């Protein structure tokens, strides 16, 4: 199973899900619906996109890395 990085935000009455890895967005009336919708959208993209298109998306998005900050 693949793993994706998703940012979930609330916009008015809707929850917006944004896949940071492939720059794909979706929405839903609930958090769970937004999550299910982004999973479906990314799955469809990966099913139908060419390997070159997938790689291009990953390159354009750059790499996401978590960093620790140390305060003085």
């Amino acid at each position: 199973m693949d793993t994706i990085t998703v940012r979930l935000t609330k916009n008015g009455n809707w929850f917006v899900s944004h896949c940071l890895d492939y720059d794909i967005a979706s929405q839903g009336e609930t958090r769970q619906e937004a999550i299910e919708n982004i999973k479906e959208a990314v799955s469809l993209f990966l099913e139908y996109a060419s390997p070159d298109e997938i790689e291009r998306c990953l390159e354009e998005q750059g790499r996401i890395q978590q960093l620790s900050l140390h305060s003085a």
Side-chain angles (χ1 to χ4, degrees):
M1 170 178 252
D2 292 327
T3 301
I4 58 174
T5 304
V6 174
R7 181 179 63 212
L8 189 64
T9 58
K10 180 109 191 234
N11 188 353
N13 293 329
W14 292 89
F15 289 91
V16 178
S17 49
H18 179 221
C19 173
L20 302 177
D21 306 290
Y22 299 104
D23 196 25
I24 297 172
S26 191
Q27 65 184 17
E29 292 185 62
T30 65
R31 287 178 191 272
Q32 189 59 41
E33 184 178 26
I35 290 168
E36 292 303 318
N37 288 345
I38 195 65
K39 287 166 63 175
E40 180 181 14
V42 172
S43 292
L44 288 170
F45 170 74
L46 293 174
E47 182 177 344
Y48 291 103
S50 70
D52 288 341
E53 185 176 5
I54 293 170
E55 186 60 33
R56 190 171 41 253
C57 281
L58 292 173
E59 288 173 2
E60 288 173 2
Q61 291 306 314
R63 298 293 177 216
I64 298 166
Q65 184 175 351
Q66 293 182 336
L67 304 174
S68 297
L69 299 177
H70 299 283
S71 57

